[in-house]
Structures are given as C-alpha cells and as structure tokens.
Amino acid sequence: MPVKPIEWKNRKLNILDQTLLPQKTSYEQCKTVKDVFNAIKILKVRGAPLIGITASYGLLVALCEKGMKDTDNMLSIIKEAGKYLQSSRPTAVNLEWAVKRMIKKAESCDKNIDTEEFFSVLEKEANTIFSEDYAMSENIGKYGSELIKDGSTILTHCNAGGLATSGLGTALSPLYSAHEQGKNITVYADETRPLLQGARLTAYELANAGIKTILISDSMAGFVISQGKIDKVIVGADRIAANGDTANKIGTMSLSILCSHFNIPFYVAAPSSTFDLAIQSGRDIPIEERDSYELKTFAGTQTAPNEIDVYNPAFDVTDNSHITAFITDKGLIYPPFEENLKKVISDK
Ligand code: MRU
C-alpha cells in the first residue's frame, strides 16, 4: 500500500504535502477552508479523485472553522465553501462532483435534526466518498490487470496512483494488481513537465512497491515507443466527456497520437466519478492554466528570462478516436464510446 495521501481523524484533516516528495514525507493539518483551497491549488493534494475527496472533507473543515449555529446556517456555510473550493482547480470533474454530492446530502436532511447529527450525516457522506473511491480503484486494478501479460512493458504519464486516490490509484492500480499476481512487469514513467509528477511521485510509488520502473523525460516517449519497447500506454483522467474525449495531464494527447501512429493500445483508467456525461465533447472541458513561474524555473532556479511570455495549460484533451478502451470500476469500455459510456456509467 502506498503512503496515505490524506487522513480525516477526530475532525481534523491531515494531508501529505506532495510538493515535498520524494525527499520529505511531511503531513500538515488543514485548519481552515482557505488551507484546503491552497493545498489543492498548489498541488499539495492532487489527482482528480483525491481532489474530490479532499473537497468533501474541506466542507467539514469549513463547518468546524465557522461554527455550527443551526442547520440552515450550516447549509449556507457548506454551499459557500463548496463554491470557493470548486474555484481552486477547474478541470477535474471529481471536485465539482464531490461538492455537489455533499450539498445534496445536506439538503436531504430533516430540518429538525440537531447540528451534531447534521454534522455526522455529512461526515459519514465524506467517509463514504473516500471508501467508494478505494473500492473503485480496486476494481480498476482487477479489470485492468487482465490486460497485462507476464513480461509486459507499460508506459504511463503523470501520477494516477495511490497518491491521487484513496486506494491504489487508477492507471497504476492495474500495475499493482499485475505485480501482486506475480506478473513480471516493467513500467516506463514519463517525468511529466513542468511539475514532475511522474518523476517525483510515480517513480517513487512504483519503486517503493518493488515494480521495475524506468524514468524517461516526456520528449523521449516517441523514440522509446518507436524502438518497440512499449506494449501499451495506460494513463489516468481528469474529466471524460460523453463521447469519450478525455482531459488528462498535459502531454497525454501527444502520447495518444504516438500510440495511434505506432499501433500501440492506449488505455484510460478512471473511476465513474471522473465521467462527465453532461458535456458532449472535449471542447466543453475547462482547461486550467497555471502560473508562468512553473515554466520559468526548475527546482526553484530561474531557467528562462523573467520577461518572457509563457503559456502553461495544465491539461490537454485526447480525442476519443485515439483511445483503445476505458478501464473503469465497472469494467472495460470499448468503442463506440458515446453509446457504451451512457450504458455503463449513467448511474454515477
Ligand atoms: O495536476 P495533477 O497532478 O492533479 O494532474 C493529475 C493527473 O493528470 C492525473 O492523471 C489524473 O488526475 C488522474 S489521477 C487518478
């Protein structure tokens, strides 16, 4: 089991600061809703499912911070905090999904229950979001590992592992399961510029689990695939539209095109909470743009002229035509995606 990225205990939210990995394993308490917002914004907690889980506990933090006068007041506190937290990162739909689910739960409560009871209903809902995510990642591992043969080499991008979910991850979960089943696998991890989630987090997680991992820079992927070293690519997702277009970490789209060109299967692993069937295509997915600082510096050292213009989108959109299948908690989903996603995912 990888290191725990989040813990809710005795009404306190502790998060692992992922910006310090792999050098330092350091937890900190988010005491205010602003702390939760900042933790998500600067990627102390990151990865679509984990952002959703963090936001649901973030609403409990807001209640503890602002007091619990009466249930009407508590409902307005979580609505306001939910709106604020949702503005921290726009691309991963899990954040919006988790906040909406918590608010819906709050609204369904009997108006006459006391504030303590109201709080425990919401606490239970956040814990359910956490444990359902754990179970979804286990199922993704189960279904995805069927695709992985003994001796396979898999390439992945960014970090869609235990550090991005409450369980073993999405893209990495099938790899953990295959390894557990005794299959001998090798994983190529893209370093994932500019924030190095592949080098700092994926390489760290997989190496700790004893899985043979080879780190490459993003620009090496095409050459490595052309050399016939890769059997398949598995990545995570931040939001998947009704037609299967998929937003994931910047660089994913290029990988999918490489896979089509070299005829390598390209899989997207994601829980039901990452599908947004309300939007028709990738054109409707909001793409987060991040600070220019991330491109003008490397490990705190300036690497570009101060005054240079920068474009820093954090995600890109992979066209559904480049996706072989989705590995979900409900099984593998093959094209035609429009039809099959609706059938399998619609009861999200
Ligand atoms: O910016 P990040 O680190 O939050 O981006 C994470 C990714 O792109 C992951 O691949 C995605 O969220 C899936 S995590 C299971």
Side-chain angles (χ1 to χ4, degrees), residues 42-67:
I42 67 168
L43 273 60
K44 287 182 177 182
V45 283
R46 29 78 40 211
L50 189 67
I51 294 174
I53 293 165
T54 306
S56 55
Y57 287 122
L59 300 186
L60 304 179
V61 170
L63 290 174
C64 295
E65 177 192 358
K66 298 184 197 289

Short mmCIF file of all heavy atoms in Angstrom, two decimals, residues 42-67:
data_model
loop_
_atom_site.label_atom_id
_atom_site.label_comp_id
_atom_site.label_asym_id
_atom_site.label_seq_id
_atom_site.Cartn_x
_atom_site.Cartn_y
_atom_site.Cartn_z
N ILE A 42 -2.07 24.56 -4.93
CA ILE A 42 -0.62 24.43 -5.19
C ILE A 42 -0.17 22.98 -5.28
O ILE A 42 1.02 22.68 -5.27
CB ILE A 42 0.24 25.25 -4.21
CG1 ILE A 42 0.16 24.71 -2.79
CG2 ILE A 42 -0.11 26.72 -4.22
CD1 ILE A 42 1.23 25.33 -1.87
N LEU A 43 -1.17 22.06 -5.36
CA LEU A 43 -0.88 20.64 -5.61
C LEU A 43 -0.21 19.90 -4.45
O LEU A 43 0.54 18.95 -4.65
CB LEU A 43 -0.04 20.48 -6.90
CG LEU A 43 -0.81 20.36 -8.22
CD1 LEU A 43 -1.65 21.59 -8.51
CD2 LEU A 43 0.14 20.10 -9.37
N LYS A 44 -0.49 20.39 -3.21
CA LYS A 44 -0.07 19.58 -2.07
C LYS A 44 -0.88 18.30 -2.09
O LYS A 44 -0.41 17.22 -1.79
CB LYS A 44 -0.30 20.33 -0.76
CG LYS A 44 0.67 21.47 -0.54
CD LYS A 44 0.42 22.14 0.78
CE LYS A 44 1.46 23.23 1.00
NZ LYS A 44 1.29 23.88 2.30
N VAL A 45 -2.18 18.45 -2.40
CA VAL A 45 -3.02 17.30 -2.75
C VAL A 45 -3.40 17.47 -4.21
O VAL A 45 -3.70 18.57 -4.65
CB VAL A 45 -4.31 17.18 -1.90
CG1 VAL A 45 -4.04 16.64 -0.54
CG2 VAL A 45 -5.06 18.47 -1.83
N ARG A 46 -3.35 16.36 -4.96
CA ARG A 46 -3.62 16.48 -6.39
C ARG A 46 -4.07 15.12 -6.90
O ARG A 46 -4.07 14.12 -6.18
CB ARG A 46 -2.43 17.06 -7.17
CG ARG A 46 -1.05 16.83 -6.66
CD ARG A 46 -0.45 15.49 -6.90
NE ARG A 46 -0.75 14.96 -8.20
CZ ARG A 46 -0.87 13.68 -8.47
NH1 ARG A 46 -0.72 12.77 -7.53
NH2 ARG A 46 -1.14 13.26 -9.69
N GLY A 47 -4.44 15.12 -8.21
CA GLY A 47 -5.02 13.91 -8.78
C GLY A 47 -6.54 14.01 -8.63
O GLY A 47 -7.04 14.33 -7.53
N ALA A 48 -7.24 13.75 -9.74
CA ALA A 48 -8.69 14.05 -9.76
C ALA A 48 -9.48 13.43 -8.59
O ALA A 48 -10.19 14.16 -7.87
CB ALA A 48 -9.26 13.61 -11.10
N PRO A 49 -9.39 12.12 -8.34
CA PRO A 49 -10.22 11.57 -7.25
C PRO A 49 -9.85 12.15 -5.88
O PRO A 49 -10.74 12.46 -5.07
CB PRO A 49 -9.93 10.06 -7.30
CG PRO A 49 -9.46 9.82 -8.71
CD PRO A 49 -8.71 11.04 -9.09
N LEU A 50 -8.54 12.34 -5.65
CA LEU A 50 -8.13 12.86 -4.33
C LEU A 50 -8.59 14.30 -4.11
O LEU A 50 -8.92 14.69 -2.98
CB LEU A 50 -6.61 12.75 -4.16
CG LEU A 50 -6.15 13.05 -2.73
CD1 LEU A 50 -6.63 11.98 -1.76
CD2 LEU A 50 -4.64 13.19 -2.64
N ILE A 51 -8.63 15.08 -5.17
CA ILE A 51 -9.10 16.45 -5.05
C ILE A 51 -10.57 16.44 -4.60
O ILE A 51 -10.99 17.21 -3.74
CB ILE A 51 -8.96 17.22 -6.39
CG1 ILE A 51 -7.50 17.40 -6.78
CG2 ILE A 51 -9.62 18.59 -6.30
CD1 ILE A 51 -7.31 18.03 -8.15
N GLY A 52 -11.36 15.52 -5.18
CA GLY A 52 -12.77 15.41 -4.80
C GLY A 52 -12.92 15.01 -3.34
O GLY A 52 -13.70 15.61 -2.58
N ILE A 53 -12.15 14.03 -2.93
CA ILE A 53 -12.21 13.55 -1.53
C ILE A 53 -11.81 14.69 -0.58
O ILE A 53 -12.47 14.95 0.43
CB ILE A 53 -11.28 12.33 -1.35
CG1 ILE A 53 -11.80 11.14 -2.15
CG2 ILE A 53 -11.11 11.98 0.12
CD1 ILE A 53 -10.79 10.01 -2.34
N THR A 54 -10.74 15.39 -0.94
CA THR A 54 -10.25 16.49 -0.09
C THR A 54 -11.31 17.57 0.05
O THR A 54 -11.53 18.12 1.13
CB THR A 54 -8.95 17.08 -0.69
OG1 THR A 54 -8.02 16.04 -0.89
CG2 THR A 54 -8.34 18.15 0.21
N ALA A 55 -11.98 17.88 -1.07
CA ALA A 55 -13.01 18.93 -1.02
C ALA A 55 -14.17 18.50 -0.13
O ALA A 55 -14.73 19.32 0.61
CB ALA A 55 -13.51 19.25 -2.42
N SER A 56 -14.53 17.21 -0.14
CA SER A 56 -15.66 16.81 0.70
C SER A 56 -15.28 16.95 2.19
O SER A 56 -16.09 17.42 2.99
CB SER A 56 -16.18 15.41 0.33
OG SER A 56 -15.16 14.48 0.38
N TYR A 57 -14.06 16.59 2.55
CA TYR A 57 -13.63 16.84 3.94
C TYR A 57 -13.44 18.35 4.18
O TYR A 57 -13.64 18.83 5.30
CB TYR A 57 -12.32 16.10 4.24
CG TYR A 57 -12.52 14.60 4.39
CD1 TYR A 57 -11.83 13.70 3.57
CD2 TYR A 57 -13.40 14.08 5.34
CE1 TYR A 57 -12.02 12.33 3.70
CE2 TYR A 57 -13.59 12.70 5.47
CZ TYR A 57 -12.90 11.84 4.64
OH TYR A 57 -13.09 10.49 4.77
N GLY A 58 -13.09 19.07 3.12
CA GLY A 58 -12.91 20.52 3.22
C GLY A 58 -14.20 21.20 3.69
O GLY A 58 -14.16 22.20 4.43
N LEU A 59 -15.35 20.64 3.30
CA LEU A 59 -16.62 21.23 3.74
C LEU A 59 -16.82 21.00 5.24
O LEU A 59 -17.37 21.85 5.95
CB LEU A 59 -17.79 20.62 2.96
CG LEU A 59 -17.74 20.81 1.43
CD1 LEU A 59 -19.01 20.28 0.79
CD2 LEU A 59 -17.54 22.28 1.06
N LEU A 60 -16.32 19.86 5.74
CA LEU A 60 -16.39 19.62 7.19
C LEU A 60 -15.45 20.57 7.93
O LEU A 60 -15.78 21.07 9.01
CB LEU A 60 -16.02 18.17 7.51
CG LEU A 60 -16.83 17.06 6.80
CD1 LEU A 60 -16.33 15.68 7.21
CD2 LEU A 60 -18.32 17.18 7.13
N VAL A 61 -14.29 20.81 7.32
CA VAL A 61 -13.34 21.77 7.91
C VAL A 61 -14.03 23.14 8.01
O VAL A 61 -13.92 23.83 9.04
CB VAL A 61 -12.05 21.88 7.06
CG1 VAL A 61 -11.17 23.04 7.52
CG2 VAL A 61 -11.27 20.57 7.10
N ALA A 62 -14.76 23.52 6.97
CA ALA A 62 -15.46 24.82 6.97
C ALA A 62 -16.45 24.88 8.13
O ALA A 62 -16.55 25.91 8.82
CB ALA A 62 -16.17 25.02 5.64
N LEU A 63 -17.16 23.78 8.37
CA LEU A 63 -18.14 23.78 9.47
C LEU A 63 -17.45 23.89 10.82
O LEU A 63 -17.89 24.63 11.71
CB LEU A 63 -18.99 22.49 9.42
CG LEU A 63 -19.97 22.39 8.25
CD1 LEU A 63 -20.64 21.02 8.23
CD2 LEU A 63 -21.02 23.50 8.32
N CYS A 64 -16.34 23.15 10.98
CA CYS A 64 -15.60 23.22 12.25
C CYS A 64 -15.03 24.62 12.46
O CYS A 64 -14.99 25.14 13.58
CB CYS A 64 -14.46 22.20 12.28
SG CYS A 64 -15.04 20.51 12.24
N GLU A 65 -14.61 25.25 11.36
CA GLU A 65 -13.98 26.57 11.45
C GLU A 65 -15.01 27.66 11.76
O GLU A 65 -14.78 28.53 12.60
CB GLU A 65 -13.31 26.88 10.09
CG GLU A 65 -12.68 28.26 10.00
CD GLU A 65 -12.31 28.62 8.56
OE1 GLU A 65 -12.51 27.80 7.63
OE2 GLU A 65 -11.83 29.75 8.37
N LYS A 66 -16.17 27.57 11.09
CA LYS A 66 -17.10 28.71 11.17
C LYS A 66 -18.21 28.53 12.20
O LYS A 66 -19.08 29.39 12.32
CB LYS A 66 -17.68 28.97 9.77
CG LYS A 66 -16.55 29.37 8.81
CD LYS A 66 -17.03 29.74 7.45
CE LYS A 66 -15.95 29.73 6.41
NZ LYS A 66 -14.95 30.75 6.44
N GLY A 67 -18.21 27.38 12.89
CA GLY A 67 -19.21 27.19 13.93
C GLY A 67 -20.46 26.53 13.39
O GLY A 67 -20.70 26.52 12.18
#
